[in-house]
């Protein structure tokens, strides 16, 4: 079931160095790409159907095609911020195969005619940053970066930039604001970054896995890449599996693989005596699936959308019957409240309300009306803000409460036997 295309050599420590990477055909695709016309590479990526692996799933080649021919300098930015709870695949890719990413970025930069790129890396990824910095230096020393790369006439320079650990800087315009030295807050779109991005120049922002996959498309061609996956979701993808499974970890599988096969075959199933309760299929912002939905869904963009959820960043969080959905939601809402940048009122105030309400229900100091209020607040947050953080908080609330309402009612009902304050400040017992 596991198909190792990108991760074929990740088990070899030498693959991290330039010398080791070259032993396994490293940078051969760059040499090949530099003999092609840039627009031909863009067309290959478009025809291969490569979709953004960071969360949105937008077709990469189509995004590249939005760049205007206005004579302005173009930038390429690799989004290595990876802040979505449950996601840890990009870290593994940078730690095990930094040159695979760099090669994919140089090819992509050549395709879009960009002389400069940045890798925006998550602030907590100290070791990954060290590894990638070393790899960039190796690439410069080998004339794989810099002026007149391999005598091709194409010049490209690359730098790494460390974020400060803010979740919102995983959003592309928030990332660009941070890179520009401003507060890491998202910007209104349009204009989209492809038209007006970093320093008001045309800018492409792609995820680590997306850019690394470009090397595979050059190597295997469009048909070779489309050999795996589905018609609308071609290729393989890395999934980070965590939670209550025997063997958590990163797995590369063809898109369209049944989720039940991932959990019960690849990951060894649940711990002994436990029963599957729910699955978050695409990172903490994805609507949760109940057991029945999880057992029938395939891991591709379309099938998950049909089930009312999304593929997101590919972070699969498995939940068994030992977990409280009320407690899990409280943890998520605390996170989103903490990470809201505060720019938009529905998000700034709404995430605070969701955190307080879910905490009250968990502590037994809420009422039945508070369960309804939780849903009401979440509904008022959807689609009302500049970026998707507000939706990222609202979607889990609505799916958790609607699919596991009995747990929330039970927790809130426990409040009936608890104290409440009278108007004169005295405490009473109810029930």
């Amino acid at each position: 079931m596991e198909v190792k295309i990108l991760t074929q050599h990740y088990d070899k420590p030498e693959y991290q160095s330039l010398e080791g990477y070259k032993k396994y055909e490293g940078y051969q695709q760059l040499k090949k790409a530099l003999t092609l016309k840039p627009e031909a590479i863009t067309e290959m990526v478009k025809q291969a159907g490569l979709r953004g692996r960071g969360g949105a799933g937008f077709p990469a080649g189509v995004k590249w095609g939005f760049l205007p021919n206005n004579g302005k300098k173009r930038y390429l930015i690799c989004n290595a911020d990876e802040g979505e709870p449950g996601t840890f695949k990009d870290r593994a890719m940078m730690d095990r195969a930094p040159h695979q990413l760099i090669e994919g970025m140089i090819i992509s930069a050549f395709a879009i005619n960009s002389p400069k790129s940045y890798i925006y890396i998550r602030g907590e990824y100290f070791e990954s940053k060290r590894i990638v910095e070393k790899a960039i230096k190796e690439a410069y020393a080998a004339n794989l970066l810099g002026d007149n790369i391999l005598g091709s006439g194409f010049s490209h320079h690359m730098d790494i930039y460390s974020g400060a650990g803010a979740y919102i800087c995983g959003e592309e315009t928030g990332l660009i604001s941070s890179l520009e030295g401003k507060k890491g807050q998202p910007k209104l779109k349009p204009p989209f970054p492809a038209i007006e991005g970093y320093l008001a120049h045309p800018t492409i922002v792609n995820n680590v896995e997306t850019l690394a996959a470009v090397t595979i498309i050059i190597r295997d061609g469009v048909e070779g890449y489309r050999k795996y996956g589905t018609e609308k979701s071609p290729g393989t993808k890395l999934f980070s599996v965590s939670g209550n499974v025997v063997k958590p970890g990163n797995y590369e599988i063809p898109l369209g693989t049944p989720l039940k096969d991932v959990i019960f075959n690849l990951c060894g199933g649940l711990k002994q005596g436990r029963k599957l309760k729910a699955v978050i299929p695409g990172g903490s912002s994805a609507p949760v699936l109940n057991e029945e939905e999880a057992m029938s869904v395939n891991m591709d963009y379309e099938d998950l959308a049909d089930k009312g959820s999304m593929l997101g960043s590919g972070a699969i969080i498995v939940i068994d019957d030992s977990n409280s959905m009320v407690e899990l939601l409280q943890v998520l809402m605390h996170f989103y409240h903490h990470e809201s940048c505060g720019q938009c009122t529905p998000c700034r105030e709404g995430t605070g309300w969701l955190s307080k309400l879910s905490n009250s229900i968990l502590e037994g100091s809420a009422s039945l009306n508070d369960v309804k209020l939780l849903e009401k607040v979440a509904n008022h947050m959807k689609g009302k803000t500049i970026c998707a953080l507000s939706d990222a908080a609202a979607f889990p609330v609505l799916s958790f409460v609607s699919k596991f309402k009995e747990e929330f009612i039970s927790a809130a009902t426990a409040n009936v036997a608890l104290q409440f304050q009278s108007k004169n400040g005295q405490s009473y017992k109810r029930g």
Side-chain angles (χ1 to χ4, degrees):
M1 181 196 308
E2 198 173 8
V3 177
K4 295 186 177 182
I5 305 295
L6 280 165
T7 61
Q8 182 181 3
H9 302 296
Y10 280 20
D11 60 336
K12 303 175 179 68
E14 62 183 342
Y15 201 60
Q16 190 187 82
S17 69
L18 176 60
E19 185 180 355
Y21 184 64
K22 282 185 170 180
K23 282 179 64 176
Y24 302 96
E25 299 185 358
Y27 289 104
Q28 293 302 310
Q29 309 321 315
L30 173 61
K31 292 179 181 175
K32 180 180 175 181
L34 291 174
T35 66
L36 303 174
K37 291 184 177 179
E39 53 269 29
I41 298 173
T42 299
E43 187 61 23
M44 283 181 72
V45 173
K46 193 181 294 183
Q47 292 301 320
L50 174 63
R51 298 173 67 165
R53 303 301 199 219
F58 193 82
V62 175
K63 181 188 274 192
W64 295 2
F66 291 154
L67 288 166
N69 291 314
N70 56 9
K72 281 191 168 184
K73 182 178 180 180
R74 295 173 171 180
Y75 289 97
L76 173 67
I77 299 175
C78 171
N79 186 346
D81 197 52
E82 194 166 56
E84 182 76 5
T87 314
F88 43 88
K89 65 180 179 65
D90 292 344
R91 181 179 61 185
M93 299 187 77
M94 290 186 286
D95 289 359
R96 304 287 181 86
H99 284 285
Q100 185 183 61
L101 169 62
I102 293 170
E103 184 177 13
M105 287 184 67
I106 302 170
I107 295 171
S108 302
F110 177 67
I112 65 171
N113 191 26
S114 167
K116 179 72 180 182
S117 63
Y118 294 94
I119 300 175
Y120 186 97
I121 196 165
R122 179 175 168 172
E124 294 91 341
Y125 283 2
F126 303 113
E127 181 63 6
S128 301
K129 181 171 181 280
R130 184 191 68 78
I131 292 169
V132 175
E133 279 181 333
K134 181 183 176 186
I136 290 175
K137 288 179 181 176
E138 289 179 324
Y140 266 107
N143 189 220
L144 296 162
L145 280 171
D147 297 331
N148 191 23
I149 294 172
L150 302 177
S152 65
F154 175 64
S155 299
H156 185 76
H157 293 267
M158 186 179 295
D159 276 324
I160 189 166
Y161 186 93
S162 181
Y167 173 81
I168 196 58
C169 288
E171 196 276 342
E172 61 180 2
T173 60
L175 183 157
I176 289 171
S177 294
S178 173
L179 192 62
E180 290 172 334
K182 303 172 184 172
K183 190 183 291 184
Q185 291 183 324
K187 301 173 181 176
L188 279 170
K189 293 183 282 190
F192 290 91
I195 307 298
E196 189 176 311
Y198 178 58
L199 301 177
H201 284 251
T203 303
I204 292 296
V205 183
N206 283 139
N207 169 258
V208 171
E209 186 180 356
T210 311
L211 292 164
V214 172
T215 62
I216 304 301
I217 293 172
I218 298 298
R219 185 190 72 184
D220 298 345
V222 172
E223 288 187 10
Y225 185 78
R226 283 186 165 276
K227 180 180 175 184
Y228 300 100
T230 69
E231 175 63 28
K232 294 183 178 178
S233 297
T236 61
K237 173 161 175 42
L238 271 72
F239 287 89
S240 302
V241 186
S242 62
N244 298 312
V245 290
V246 175
K247 295 187 294 182
N250 285 313
Y251 296 92
E252 184 179 5
I253 57 175
L255 286 165
T257 300
L259 177 56
K260 64 181 179 182
D261 290 346
V262 176
I263 296 173
F264 291 100
N265 294 332
L266 269 183
C267 298
L270 307 180
K271 294 175 182 176
Q272 190 172 11
R274 302 266 52 114
K275 183 177 182 296
L276 183 66
K277 185 176 187 178
V279 178
I280 300 173
S284 66
S285 57
V288 70
L289 302 173
N290 60 28
E291 180 193 10
E292 182 180 353
E293 293 166 334
M295 288 298 90
S296 62
V297 75
N298 295 325
M299 295 305 290
D300 60 64
Y301 296 97
E302 290 70 33
D303 206 33
L304 276 161
D306 287 344
K307 295 288 190 302
S309 190
M310 58 186 185
L311 190 73
S313 58
I316 300 171
I317 303 172
V318 181
I319 302 164
D320 72 19
D321 59 352
S322 68
N323 294 129
S324 160
M325 301 305 285
V326 178
E327 185 176 3
L328 291 177
L329 186 66
Q330 188 273 332
V331 171
L332 292 181
M333 292 308 107
H334 173 77
F335 172 79
Y336 285 114
H337 180 215
H338 179 75
E339 293 295 338
S340 173
C341 77
Q343 186 174 202
C344 306
T345 302
C347 181
R348 182 184 63 245
E349 301 299 325
T351 53
W353 273 97
L354 295 180
S355 180
K356 289 176 183 175
L357 286 166
S358 57
N359 194 56
S360 296
I361 294 171
L362 179 65
E363 292 183 341
S365 57
S367 69
L368 282 174
N369 282 333
D370 288 332
V371 178
K372 296 178 182 175
L373 185 58
L374 197 60
E375 292 180 294
K376 184 178 180 181
V377 172
N379 273 314
H380 282 298
M381 292 168 64
K382 290 191 302 179
K384 304 287 197 305
T385 53
I386 291 175
C387 79
L389 194 147
S390 187
D391 290 351
F395 289 158
V397 167
L398 295 172
S399 59
F400 270 61
V401 175
S402 65
K403 294 176 183 179
F404 299 93
K405 184 159 281 183
E406 67 283 359
E407 283 195 42
F408 287 86
I409 290 175
S410 177
T413 304
N415 175 49
V416 174
L418 297 178
Q419 293 183 342
F420 73 97
Q421 295 292 318
S422 69
K423 289 182 180 178
N424 62 11
Q426 285 186 295
S427 297
Y428 295 86
K429 288 279 188 181
R430 297 179 64 186

